[in-house]
Structure formats: structure tokens, C-alpha cells
Amino acid sequence: MLPELHHLRRLILLPRHRPAAVRTALSALVSVSASSGLLDHALAHFRSLRSQFPSHPPSARLYNCLLKCSLRAHRADLVEVLYRDMLLAGVPPETYTFNILISSLCDSDRIEEARLLFDNMPLKNCQPDEFSFGILICRYCKAGLTHRAVELLDEMERLGRSPNIVIYNTLISSFCKDGSIGEAEKLVERMRKDGLFPNVVTFNSRISALCKAGRVLEAYQIFRDMQEDKVLGLPRPNQITFNLMLAGFCKGDMLEEARALVELMKVGGSLASLQSYNIWLSGLVKCGRLLEAQQLLEEMVQQGIEPNSYSYNILIDGLCKEGMIYGARSVMSLMKKYGTSPDPVTYSSLLHWYCTRRNISGAIKILHEMTSSGCFPNSFTCNILLQSLWKEGRILEAEKLLQEMNKKGYGLDIVTCNIVINGLCENGKLDKAIEIVNGMWQHGSAALGELGNAFLGLVDDRNEKKKCSPGLITYSILINHLCKAGRLDEARKLLLEMMGKNVAPDSIIYDIFVRGFCNQGKVSSAFKVLRDMEKKSCRPSTRTYNLLIWGLGKKHQIEEILDLMNEMQQKGIPKDVRSYNNLIHALCDREMVDKAASILEEMLHNSILPNITTFSMLIRAFCKISDFDAAQAMFHGALTACGQKEVLYSLMCNEYFMYGKISEAKEFLQIALEKEFSLEHFPYKNIVEELCKEDMIDDGHSLINTMIAKRYLFDPATFMPVIDALGKKGNKHEADKLSEKMMDMAAHHDGSMVSFSDCLHGDSENKRKKQKQEVSLGSDWHNLLHRDDGSGIAMKLLKRVQKGWGQGSIPAPRPQNFDLVDEWEITN
DNA sequence: CTAGGGTTAG
């Protein structure tokens, strides 16, 4: 009934009541409303109080209550007004009052003013207390000014005041958060000397830091020690400890450990909070268990734990990332049905799906949907759009969006800067990008103003926190593009520069150099980078080694590749499908096809499933040496392992066509037509032409008829050889009929290879298909599950198929470019 | 009454 309470004011103010009673009643209304967060009501009552009883100042307690409420509502303006009123009314502020003021100033990024206030607190009634110190130390930490927080701690000790455990924990967790585990440990020592014992919060900070650094097993060790309470009297793990450990296992892809922990939590009754469920939900999603995640969501509802927007968003984002937009949509409907409104996170996830697919109209639709449901783009949303616009080369619109973001006061943070810098690099403005990054050290995001927009007004030196400085990703972008442009010396200079600025390189940045050197054929330099990584204790990854294998392959150094792969084995660096693909590529390049095929066996032995690239290379290699039986066997193996993929059929079709095997090529084309694949990558035109040349006009003719019957829209030139041949044979009637169809086709043909039905039937057929998918989440999820189930079976079948491969090879060169190197997009 | 540890999107 609280919101209704304010109607009482009129009754209270009736003249027949005693003034003292009215004052008491009004004060009560103010305090009740304020502590319930009803700021507007509280203020209205407060105004009545002040105007009715101007000579009776309210208590400091009442002011405090209002101040706290204003602070909660992030109304720094009100905080200031109320404080002035307090002074005006002659009410002396208390320490608590100052503490609220300090918090409020920090909230509006006025940390220096907060410090000033702290330093000038009247020593009489309100000396700074442990909260004053604690609040300021906390805010310094949050602003990234840890050194100033520590200075304040030192000052406390100088003043002979002993810091409490919360203050120590604040600092310890802050050090843990930026990875300074050593500093954190020093503080634990210091707090022990002060007679304070680390409590569960201290331990949680440590576990959190270890998990974040990928040292999950060490974290688990501590967790286990905490569970055995007899030992050193360590604090017992609480719900947060369990959550941290669970998140750690999930982050480290230790799904089974996570699952065991969840069971433990269930038994012990710790799997009770929404947050715990959300962590487990995101863990399942991260490990690709989307079906299980869906089941968990249902379980939550059954257990009476209402999923919140986090829960739904975790699932929706996961589905989008897996490409399952219909599944995501369906969860969004579920979300609405259960009374949770989609928020900017929900829409941003969907938007991202459309943007990565370069589906601009879809993206715009989402934006409309978003705004019409009262949700507005935030800086995440804008960054997604910004990146998309740069990718599309719509630079002017990107700049406009940037201006708009600036106007709306969205923080142009380091992510925004990185998007713009990457955009510039990809649009041939590498030097401009370098210039901007240099400027960023001075002006932060305002350096983007050098794009031509007047952003220099953004310079704000008061906030050390807000100034965004170039980081690891920023340098990775520049170095990557410098290497791609062959400017390795400059790249190396930038590496030194970043290390000088205390930005530590990671293995990805070293990989960029490895790739750069390999690209230039300087494999020995690339190896120097590898050894340098080892020296700098920056563990080379599978990717690093894959790049080196690729580099060696380019130089036909097969022996060296084999040595390197042995080294991987010894150093415990797992080989993946790309490692083997690079080796197979090198072998095929050296015309060692049988050896290449035998690598397949080794892969299977090591439980590494070959992918389409693996099979494609081998198929091409076998075709090249005219071992078409082996190529066929490979093809069937590929279908088993990878599924009925269009690329596999088009590859066979193209290969057979290239080697003059027209009727085989035709058969593959026919299968493609039956399966209603896109014909985009099939040489259908050449096949028809060739069939006519070889006096198989009927075959060509029937192919065309099938294509028409299946409502394909294809290159009208395909008709010509058939029409010509029919004409020559005197079949004028058929020739005319085809000419007519050709004209019809030409009228619709725009160079793209879409199915005819898409055009003629206004998408209705497609829509029906899509709706079918949309009805059940099931179909998408089923596919995903099927993929998991499928791989094992595929492996077994493959093992059967592979027998009989690899015999006989005739050397032949193989000029083909495959995408053998890992993608080089710099992403987080 | 006010400061510390855990979940979602770029």
C-alpha cells in the first residue's frame, strides 16, 4: 500500500491536528517513502514539511534518509540541493551525511571533489570514519586508481587508525581483478600483521582471480581446502564461492567438473539462487549444450526460480552465436509469454546475428522492433552497428553514427575506438589509424576527432578513468595490418612501443609476427619469434605451430614439418584438424598423395575428425593423378564425416568437368538438382555446352528442362548451345520454344544465382519453409545434437571406408589455394 | 543507515 500512502498527507494537514503531531506524521511519511525508494513522494512530503514548519528544521537523520534515496536514484543534483537546504536550515551534517555526499560525487565522476570534501570534513562532530575511508578507497579502485587507494590506506595507518577487513578486501579484490596476484598477496600479509584474518570474501577474491587467469585447478585446490574446515580454520565456502568455482570450470571448458559441482550444490541446497542458475546456464551455452540449457530453463521454472532477463539473454545470445536465429526468436517469445520484456541486450544479440550476416534490412527491422517496444540502443548496440557499417564500407554513415553516439553521451570507449581503427585499416587508411592511436595516448577517444569530426571537445582530464588508452587489441589491429602490408619493421617498432607502455603482448600478437614472417618466406625469423615466446613465457598455441607448419609447407620442407609436429607432441601442445590440413596441403603440393592420404589414418587414430578442407584437398589430389576411384571413395568418406554438403558435390562436379569426364560431371549436377542445391558453384553452363559439342544434345536439353522445372533462375547463355544444336539438327520447333524461355529468363536474371521460386512466388515457399523451422526450437537444436551424435558414427564409418586408400600415385602439381591459415580477425 | 566477493550483448 506504500504508493497509496501519500494520500494521507491531506488528512494529516487538516487544521484540527496538533502541529507537533503533524510534523511527526509528515516526517514519518518522508522517511517511509524515502526508504522505500519512492523519491518523488518523499520529496513532496518533505516540501510540505518545510513549508508548513519553516522554523522547525527536520532532523539530520531525515536529511540523511532523503540523501540516501537520492543517491540510490543517481540524482546527484538532488543530493546537492538537499545538502544546501540542510545548511540553510542550520542542521549540522553528520559523518554519515558526508559519506553519502562523497559517494554521490564519485558517482558523477567527480572523485577529486569527493576527496576535497573528505579532506575538509569538520573535525568536530564528524571526523571521517572507517566508512569514509572505505568508500573513497573503493571508488579509487573502481576508477582504476589503485595507487591512490593504497596511499589512503597508508595514511590511515599514519593517523593511527586501523583499517578494517572490508577495506583490505576492497583493495585485495581490486588487485586480483587486474591480475596483480602478487600485490594482492602482499596485502594479505599486511592484514595478517594488523591482526585481521582473511575471511570468505578474501578467499573468494583469490579464487575469482585465479579462475580469471585460467588457473582453475589452483582455484579448485583452495576451494577444496576451504571445504575441509578442520585444517587451518579456513573460512567455509559460501554460495558465492560455489558460484565462482562453477563459473571457473565453465570458463575453462571443464564441463564435467562443473556438472559434478552442480550436483554437489543441489545436494547441499546451494543451487538456490537465480544467479547460480544463470552461471550454470551460461556455462552450458558456452560449451554448446543448448538443448540442456533449454531444459535447465524449464527446470528453473519448475523449481519456482523465475528466470530473469539475464537467463533468457544468455540463451538467446548462445542461439544467435550458433546461427540459430529461429531458436533465438522462439526463446524471445517464451520470454514475453512469461512476462519478461526483451531488453537492449536481447535486441543487440539478434542485431549482431543480422550484422555478421551482412543482412542490413534484417538489422534495420530489429532496430525498429526494438525502438517500437520502448527499448533504445545503447553503446553496445551502437558498436555492433558501427562495426557493421565499417564492414560494408559505409564510412560516412559510420561517422554519423559516431557523432550521434557522442551527442547522446554514450561513452566512446576502447571498443568503439578499436572498431574505428580497424575500420580505417581495412579501408586503406593504415597511416591515419596509426596517427590516431598515437593521439589516443594524449587525448583518449577524442583522438578520433582527427577523422574530421569535432570531437576534441571531449577531452576531459578530470577523469583518468574515462580516458581510454590504446590497449592490447588496439595494438594487435595495427600490428596485424602492418604485417599484412609487409611492413614488419614498423610492426616490430610498435611491439616495442606497446611493451614500453606496459601493454603486455599475448600469444596472438606473436602469432601475427609468425604469420607475417612466414608470408614473406622468412621461416627462420618466424622460428625466432617462437623461441622468443618461449623465453618470455608466453606459451605458443596450436595456432602458432599451425602457422609454422604452413610456412614450412610453402617452402616444401616436409621433414621439418614432421619434426615440428613431434615437438608439439613433446611439449604437450595438441594438434588440431588445421595442423594436419597444413601437412596434407604440403604433401599434396609435393605430389605425395599416398602419404597425404595416410595422414588421414593418423588423424583418425588421434581422434581428430577431418573436415571439408581435408577431404577437398585429397579429392583434388587424387583427381589430379587420375585416381578417380580413390577420389570417389574420399568423397563418400567426406559425406559420412561432414554430411550432405553442397561444396562436396560442386567440388566433384568441377573436378570431373576439369578432367574431361563430362558424363560424371553431369551426374553430380543432376544430384545437385535433385537435392535443390544452389547452382552458384556448379559449372552447369559449361557442362551443357560440352554435352552439345560431344553430340549429347538430349542430355543437355534435359538438364535445362530439369532446371526450369525446378524453377531455378540461371544464366540465360546456358540455352545458346542447345538452341544452336537443335537448330542445326532441324528441330526448329524445340529451338523456338527454348528461345522463348531464354528471353523470359533474361528478363529476370540479374546475375545472382537464386532459385526461380524465390523470385516468382514472392518468397512464399521460402517463408513456409522458414515458418516450419520457426515453429519448433526443436529443429535447430536437434541439428546441433545430431552433429554431436554424428561425429562418432562418422568416425567409425570412415575407418571402414579408408581401407583401400592411398595406393598408387603419379606425381602431379596441384595449384590450388585453400584457406589454410587460421582467420586473422582480432577478436576478444 | 553508507564501503568488499558471483550472471547476459559490442
Side-chain angles (χ1 to χ4, degrees):
Chain A
M1 288 172 67
L2 269 173
E4 315 305 326
L5 212 58
H6 70 276
H7 296 304
L8 283 178
R9 192 164 79 233
R10 263 181 295 153
L11 292 177
I12 291 169
L13 289 173
L14 288 177
R16 62 180 137 103
H17 296 303
R18 278 188 7 251
V22 172
R23 258 195 301 137
T24 312
L26 276 178
S27 302
L29 270 185
V30 173
S31 117
V32 165
S33 311
S35 49
S36 317
L38 300 167
L39 181 57
D40 291 336
H41 290 167
L43 284 174
H45 301 315
F46 184 71
R47 273 191 217 103
S48 305
L49 184 67
R50 293 288 284 132
S51 60
Q52 296 287 316
F53 305 98
S55 53
H56 279 90
S59 65
R61 197 194 149 94
L62 198 68
Y63 275 106
N64 289 345
C65 195
L66 275 169
L67 282 166
K68 189 181 87 177
C69 185
S70 310
L71 178 70
R72 286 247 164 93
H74 300 289
R75 292 287 306 271
D77 52 325
L78 281 178
V79 171
E80 211 171 315
V81 170
L82 283 165
Y83 181 58
R84 279 182 207 286
D85 187 61
M86 196 173 178
L87 296 182
L88 216 69
V91 181
E94 301 172 340
T95 299
Y96 179 49
T97 319
F98 275 98
N99 290 347
I100 293 176
L101 293 174
I102 290 169
S103 302
S104 172
L105 283 169
C106 292
D107 260 4
S108 21
D109 291 320
R110 293 157 68 181
I111 201 161
E112 291 313 324
E113 288 165 70
R115 178 60 192 260
L116 225 56
L117 193 62
F118 172 87
D119 286 337
N120 289 300
M121 276 168 79
L123 288 174
K124 237 190 186 173
N125 286 326
C126 44
Q127 284 192 8
D129 61 3
E130 53 185 349
F131 288 104
S132 323
F133 278 98
I135 292 167
L136 210 48
I137 286 175
C138 169
R139 301 309 180 118
Y140 273 138
C141 288
K142 290 221 164 103
L145 303 168
T146 338
H147 56 286
R148 303 204 53 186
V150 176
E151 278 164 27
L152 211 52
L153 181 77
D154 294 339
E155 194 173 321
M156 278 188 91
E157 303 229 300
R158 250 203 320 281
L159 293 170
R161 316 186 50 156
S162 41
N164 62 22
I165 186 138
V166 177
I167 289 176
Y168 271 115
N169 281 339
T170 308
L171 278 159
I172 290 166
S173 101
S174 174
F175 278 124
C176 284
K177 270 186 186 135
D178 49 59
S180 320
I181 297 186
E183 291 296 315
E185 245 142 44
K186 269 190 224 156
L187 274 174
V188 173
E189 275 313 300
R190 187 164 163 187
M191 101 191 231
R192 280 221 167 89
K193 271 186 206 135
D194 274 358
L196 294 169
F197 290 99
N199 64 7
V200 66
V201 178
T202 326
F203 274 82
N204 286 346
S205 298
R206 177 145 174 74
I207 288 179
S208 167
L210 287 170
C211 287
K212 209 177 147 202
R215 295 156 66 178
V216 186
L217 289 177
E218 286 168 73
Y220 184 52
Q221 188 67 48
I222 294 174
F223 178 75
R224 281 216 318 245
D225 288 346
M226 288 171 80
Q227 279 180 310
E228 293 169 24
D229 56 340
K230 290 170 216 157
V231 196
L232 280 166
L234 299 185
R236 303 278 294 157
N238 62 11
Q239 246 201 68
I240 292 177
T241 324
F242 276 100
N243 288 347
L244 283 165
M245 210 52 245
L246 180 59
F249 282 142
C250 293
K251 186 181 166 268
D253 281 325
M254 299 160 79
L255 191 64
E256 291 321 308
E257 285 83 353
R259 205 186 289 283
L261 194 64
V262 167
E263 285 311 311
L264 194 66
M265 287 170 79
K266 270 186 190 162
V267 173
S270 306
L271 191 68
S273 77
L274 178 57
Q275 218 160 350
S276 301
Y277 271 100
N278 285 346
I279 292 169
W280 182 219
L281 207 52
S282 70
L284 286 172
V285 167
K286 188 185 169 289
C287 297
R289 308 297 166 110
L290 290 167
L291 187 58
E292 260 182 88
Q294 156 79 356
Q295 285 162 353
L296 184 65
L297 199 69
E298 280 159 19
E299 191 187 310
M300 286 168 73
V301 179
Q302 278 164 16
Q303 301 276 321
I305 293 185
E306 279 279 288
N308 63 0
S309 63
Y310 271 57
S311 326
Y312 293 108
N313 288 341
I314 289 166
L315 208 52
I316 289 171
D317 188 58
L319 287 163
C320 286
K321 294 269 151 68
E322 287 283 349
M324 298 186 283
I325 187 73
Y326 296 109
R329 277 289 187 185
S330 167
V331 174
M332 195 164 142
S333 310
L334 201 71
M335 171 178 196
K336 287 182 191 158
K337 200 176 105 187
Y338 286 140
T340 305
S341 315
D343 62 12
V345 180
T346 323
Y347 288 110
S348 295
S349 294
L350 295 173
L351 188 70
H352 189 239
W353 188 88
Y354 285 102
C355 284
T356 50
R357 264 143 252 261
R358 312 185 56 169
N359 184 338
I360 303 291
S361 61
I364 290 170
K365 258 192 219 155
I366 293 288
L367 280 176
H368 280 307
E369 197 179 326
M370 182 172 181
T371 46
S372 64
S373 65
C375 239
F376 292 93
N378 60 17
S379 59
F380 270 76
T381 325
C382 290
N383 280 338
I384 295 169
L385 287 170
L386 195 64
Q387 183 159 40
S388 182
L389 288 170
W390 272 105
K391 278 247 157 67
E392 298 297 318
R394 294 159 74 163
I395 303 176
L396 288 178
E397 285 163 272
E399 283 199 26
K400 254 172 114 181
L401 179 62
L402 207 56
Q403 276 172 327
E404 205 59 38
M405 286 168 76
N406 190 25
K407 244 192 272 168
K408 294 229 169 176
Y410 289 155
L412 302 185
D413 63 9
I414 189 63
V415 179
T416 318
C417 294
N418 287 341
I419 290 170
V420 174
I421 286 158
N422 193 49
L424 285 167
C425 290
E426 278 173 1
N427 284 272
K429 296 176 180 172
L430 178 51
D431 291 301
K432 184 92 213 163
I434 293 173
E435 207 179 294
I436 285 177
V437 172
N438 280 332
M440 278 172 69
W441 283 112
Q442 262 255 304
H443 302 115
S445 65
L448 294 183
E450 291 174 33
L451 269 180
N453 291 318
F455 285 161
L456 282 165
L458 287 178
V459 183
D460 187 353
D461 286 335
R462 279 176 314 172
N463 287 308
E464 292 177 54
K465 175 184 79 175
K466 271 206 172 163
K467 190 163 80 185
C468 61
S469 306
L472 179 64
I473 306 288
T474 323
Y475 276 97
S476 302
I477 292 167
L478 290 184
I479 289 177
N480 185 33
H481 283 93
L482 281 170
C483 284
K484 272 191 177 161
R487 294 158 65 175
L488 273 123
D489 282 339
E490 288 165 81
R492 204 149 39 173
K493 265 185 216 149
L494 271 189
L495 182 72
L496 292 176
E497 178 185 313
M498 70 179 265
M499 296 200 307
K501 304 260 189 192
N502 266 332
V503 181
D506 65 353
S507 78
I508 295 180
I509 240 176
Y510 282 111
D511 287 352
I512 292 172
F513 281 96
V514 171
R515 191 195 54 152
F517 283 122
C518 287
N519 243 341
Q520 298 193 340
K522 296 176 181 164
V523 184
S524 55
S525 298
F527 269 91
K528 272 187 205 148
V529 178
L530 176 73
R531 303 303 167 210
D532 202 34
M533 287 171 83
E534 286 166 341
K535 245 189 278 166
K536 298 248 164 62
S537 63
C538 179
R539 192 177 153 80
S541 64
T542 297
R543 191 217 303 250
T544 318
Y545 278 89
N546 288 352
L547 286 162
L548 287 164
I549 295 172
W550 172 72
L552 288 168
K554 270 179 55 157
K555 307 198 101 187
H556 307 302
Q557 294 176 301
I558 307 284
E559 280 307 313
E560 286 80 354
I561 292 180
L562 297 175
D563 289 345
L564 196 61
M565 288 177 89
N566 275 333
E567 186 182 317
M568 289 175 83
Q569 191 86 37
Q570 278 161 20
K571 299 209 163 147
I573 290 161
K575 288 173 248 181
D576 66 7
V577 63
R578 284 167 191 268
S579 323
Y580 285 105
N581 282 353
N582 288 354
L583 171 60
I584 290 175
H585 177 245
L587 289 168
C588 290
D589 234 19
R590 292 294 278 160
E591 300 143 15
M592 299 159 77
V593 190
D594 49 347
K595 177 78 180 153
S598 77
I599 298 300
L600 205 56
E601 216 163 316
E602 195 185 321
M603 292 174 76
L604 296 169
H605 186 255
N606 293 333
S607 296
I608 288 172
L609 190 66
N611 61 17
I612 292 188
T613 308
T614 323
F615 287 109
S616 302
M617 288 188 298
L618 289 165
I619 289 170
R620 281 178 208 268
F622 277 123
C623 287
K624 193 92 194 174
I625 60 169
S626 303
D627 189 346
F628 292 103
D629 289 342
Q632 278 283 355
M634 279 294 162
F635 169 69
H636 287 291
L639 291 184
T640 313
C642 313
Q644 298 282 331
K645 290 282 165 15
E646 180 199 314
V647 278
L648 292 170
Y649 285 93
S650 65
L651 174 70
M652 290 302 278
C653 186
N654 278 298
E655 288 294 304
Y656 274 123
F657 178 77
M658 194 161 72
Y659 293 106
K661 302 216 151 231
I662 304 304
S663 52
E664 284 86 349
K666 191 198 76 182
E667 273 167 37
F668 277 101
L669 181 56
Q670 275 168 335
I671 298 172
L673 288 170
E674 266 164 44
K675 292 183 181 287
E676 303 197 320
F677 286 151
S678 155
L679 291 187
E680 203 175 354
H681 299 109
F682 284 82
Y684 63 92
K685 194 171 97 182
N686 314 51
I687 291 176
V688 170
E689 192 181 346
E690 224 33 55
L691 285 170
C692 291
K693 260 192 219 158
E694 304 205 356
D695 211 26
M696 293 183 278
I697 307 160
D698 290 346
D699 286 339
H701 192 175
S702 95
L703 269 180
I704 284 200
N705 281 337
T706 314
M707 285 161 73
I708 293 170
K710 293 263 183 191
R711 302 190 176 282
Y712 276 94
L713 189 59
F714 55 91
D715 186 346
T718 317
F719 285 92
M720 287 311 297
V722 184
I723 294 172
D724 281 349
L726 286 171
K728 264 183 212 155
K729 277 179 75 177
N731 193 345
K732 181 123 187 5
H733 178 65
E734 272 300 311
D736 284 347
K737 244 170 78 182
L738 280 186
S739 298
E740 210 170 294
K741 287 204 171 130
M742 179 172 73
M743 301 307 284
D744 195 26
M745 184 80 66
H748 289 92
H749 187 65
D750 64 348
S752 66
M753 287 303 306
V754 286
S755 142
F756 213 12
S757 54
D758 286 354
C759 269
L760 289 185
H761 295 266
D763 256 355
S764 61
E765 225 169 313
N766 252 15
K767 263 187 199 152
R768 232 177 296 136
K769 268 187 211 159
K770 280 179 189 165
Q771 272 163 3
K772 238 188 261 163
Q773 289 172 0
E774 206 161 9
V775 171
S776 66
L777 277 172
S779 67
D780 277 346
W781 272 330
H782 183 260
N783 282 342
L784 205 78
L785 276 187
H786 188 73
R787 191 183 66 187
D788 284 343
D789 294 347
S791 55
I793 300 163
M795 197 70 93
K796 279 181 213 140
L797 279 172
L798 260 173
K799 283 187 177 163
R800 241 179 284 149
V801 176
Q802 69 175 10
K803 288 177 189 158
W805 284 347
Q807 66 274 52
S809 70
I810 302 159
R814 211 194 52 82
Q816 254 309 318
N817 281 326
F818 275 98
D819 180 24
L820 290 166
V821 193
D822 286 333
E823 275 303 311
W824 277 88
E825 279 181 359
I826 307 296
T827 50
N828 237 339

